[in-house]
Amino acid sequence: QVQLVESGGGLVQAGGSLRLSCAASGRTFSSYVMGWFRQTPGKDREFVATISQNGGLRSYADSVKGRFTISRDNAKNTVYLQMNSLKPEDTAVYYCAAAVEGWYRPRETRSYEYWGQGTQVTVSA
């Protein structure tokens, strides 16, 4: 069982920045592929970013590439999402996820076994 807890969400004006954190339980964090997804009412959960076990591989949704950066600190069992130049369309609940099987279709929600509770990000115009 892996527990994930997101933090860092909040209200921000367009053009601003937020840094989300996701703290993971367990002793094998460095073996997990980690991802960030987001969801708004009436829409499917959408891929945002993912990072490989040692941080060597990263992938981003086209909508956030160049604005968001995913990173991880395995010594702290934590993954981060730095969000810059935020837009109103970034408004969503952001979820952290862990894939224990490794780098396999890491842009898909079904690849992830464990999910956090989500943190709300609201970007005002």
Side-chain angles (χ1 to χ4, degrees), residues 38 46-49 59-67 87 107:
R38 65 188 183 187
E46 175 190 24
F47 168 76
V48 176
S59 184
Y60 298 92
D62 288 343
S63 59
V64 308
K65 193 171 186 178
R67 300 188 296 120
K87 304 174 181 179
R107 299 168 67 95

Side-chain angles (χ1 to χ4, degrees), residues 29-94:
F29 176 78
S30 63
S31 71
Y32 308 153
V33 169
M34 300 298 297
W36 287 97
F37 295 77
R38 65 188 183 187
Q39 189 168 27
T40 57
K43 293 185 177 181
D44 292 336
R45 194 161 296 184
E46 175 190 24
F47 168 76
V48 176
T50 185
I51 187 167
S52 62
Q53 297 95 319
N54 65 359
L57 297 173
R58 292 170 168 85
S59 184
Y60 298 92
D62 288 343
S63 59
V64 308
K65 193 171 186 178
R67 300 188 296 120
F68 291 10
T69 302
I70 188 170
S71 62
R72 66 192 297 161
D73 186 341
N74 287 345
K76 296 182 178 180
N77 276 25
T78 302
V79 64
Y80 306 94
L81 185 68
Q82 178 67 47
M83 305 186 294
N84 298 328
S85 302
L86 283 162
K87 304 174 181 179
E89 50 263 46
D90 295 318
T91 295
V93 176
Y94 283 71

